[in-house]
Amino acid sequence: MYIYIERELTMINIGIIHNPKAKKLVLDPYFAFVLEYTLGQFGISASPTGEDQLKSILRRFKQYNVPIIAFNGGDGTINFILSALVCIYNEYPKKPLPKLLFLRSGTVNTIPRGCGVKGRPEYILYNAVRKLEEGKPLSTVTRNTIQINGRTGFLWGGGKVANFMRRYYSKDVVSPLHAAKTVIVSIFLALFRPSKFSEEFKSLFAKVYINDDKDPVYDGELSIPFAATIRDVGLGFKPFFLADPEKKQFHFLSFKGFSIWHLIREIPFALFGRPLDTERTLNFPAQKIRLVSPDPIHATFDGDMFPKNEADIKHDQDEYEVEIQLGPQVKIIVI
């Protein structure tokens, strides 16, 4: 399905990009029309079927200076659209990025929640439109982004994090209940079948280079490595307290090895945004991180899996590398 509603673009305030595979649209295919009705005269919407079509739409939005881009989807949708948006605006470096409106309509909405966006999709859009009608300013928060291989997002995870997410996505239906079951199974294996746990939830072994340093700061096991620009990852946990937009940095955090008991002991510190055990963790701010591993690096970036398929991995390399660097700052509307 491809929807594009033509209006007088010079009067447009919001451009919505729909992801037809977003949870809300899968459950209710007419939900896109509900949002368009709510949008009224203040915007236009599109459902691109691929990256080329998405970039074409974003170029049109940029041409007419559409000031707000709304994302009808979850974390993966945000990553996909934002990556294309940054790519388009890099062609015009003097033009600021538009403000971002996350509608929280996906399966996983960690990024909007971490940025302070609350409420149902239609509620978020309705309140944005109402403020525009009343001539009131829209409140925003500033967040850094990270960039990896041309993609732009907010939260990267490797090692056991990626293997956990791969298991979570292995079922046709993903939900909070399925996530809870996956957590319970993981804890059970870690406590009572540690060899099975280590086999199924593998760590990443890599050298860690900070910024442009030529010598690694660490060489060994990274069991739960993260790079993040949002502090809150849900349920009140704020482990990435060094993700500070004012200092233009992201937070790199990883356990050097893995112990379920050590992880449990660290939960209160993660909950209140306090430094973790420095003897057992890597925990520092950075503008660039380079990981070099003898094995393929499996990762999740804003909920999407990389590589997407085992067939995409080249097994003839001596080393595998991923570079995580600070991306542009973005302004996110909070209602």
Side-chain angles (χ1 to χ4, degrees), residues 16-262:
I16 299 180
I17 304 293
H18 301 292
N19 174 9
K21 296 181 180 179
K23 181 180 179 181
K24 190 74 175 177
L25 286 174
V26 170
L27 295 175
D28 181 6
Y30 293 98
F31 182 67
F33 296 101
V34 173
L35 293 181
E36 288 157 14
Y37 179 80
T38 303
L39 195 58
Q41 64 180 341
F42 286 91
I44 54 175
S45 66
S47 293
T49 57
E51 186 173 2
D52 290 342
Q53 209 171 71
L54 170 62
K55 287 184 176 180
S56 176
I57 291 164
L58 291 174
R59 282 192 177 93
R60 190 83 183 278
F61 286 1
K62 181 198 64 61
Q63 180 184 357
Y64 289 95
N65 296 315
V66 176
I68 299 169
I69 304 295
F71 299 66
N72 188 14
D75 291 350
T77 300
I78 291 171
N79 187 287
F80 184 66
I81 297 175
L82 181 58
S83 298
L85 184 67
V86 170
C87 180
I88 296 302
Y89 273 76
N90 279 344
E91 299 172 3
Y92 305 86
K94 291 185 178 181
K95 281 201 170 187
L97 286 166
K99 296 182 176 66
L100 312 181
L101 183 63
F102 299 153
L103 298 182
R104 289 175 46 95
S105 50
T107 304
V108 182
N109 297 294
T110 302
I111 304 306
R113 182 172 57 243
C115 296
V117 181
K118 302 176 181 179
R120 297 169 60 86
E122 58 271 33
Y123 168 85
I124 295 169
L125 183 61
Y126 170 78
N127 279 279
V129 170
R130 186 181 64 180
K131 286 195 173 185
L132 289 172
E133 286 179 323
E134 296 172 352
K136 295 180 178 179
L138 295 169
S139 300
T140 63
V141 295
T142 300
R143 291 290 181 269
N144 291 320
T145 62
I146 51 177
Q147 293 184 317
I148 306 166
N149 296 330
R151 299 292 294 265
T152 302
F154 300 88
L155 181 62
W156 177 93
K160 297 185 188 301
V161 181
N163 288 298
F164 174 88
M165 293 301 295
R166 198 171 294 278
R167 179 177 182 129
Y168 173 62
Y169 288 133
S170 65
K171 299 295 183 181
D172 292 335
V173 178
V174 292
S175 65
L177 178 60
H178 178 51
K181 288 181 179 178
T182 306
V183 170
I184 292 171
V185 169
S186 304
I187 293 174
F188 175 83
L189 291 176
L191 288 173
F192 302 107
R193 300 185 64 186
S195 59
K196 175 70 173 175
F197 176 82
S198 298
E199 178 184 344
E200 188 163 345
F201 298 90
K202 294 180 181 179
S203 295
L204 170 65
F205 288 82
K207 296 177 182 178
V208 181
Y209 297 84
I210 303 178
N211 299 325
D212 293 317
D213 292 349
K214 294 183 178 181
D215 296 321
V217 295
Y218 178 75
D219 182 0
E221 181 180 4
L222 300 171
S223 62
I224 312 178
F226 280 103
T229 61
I230 57 171
R231 298 180 180 182
D232 190 335
V233 294
L235 302 177
F237 285 91
K238 302 177 180 66
F240 308 118
F241 56 91
L242 295 174
D244 189 345
E246 293 185 3
K247 297 181 180 179
K248 294 187 178 181
Q249 63 192 29
F250 62 85
H251 189 157
F252 183 79
L253 170 65
S254 178
F255 287 96
K256 295 177 181 178
F258 184 81
S259 163
I260 186 62
W261 300 113
H262 177 229

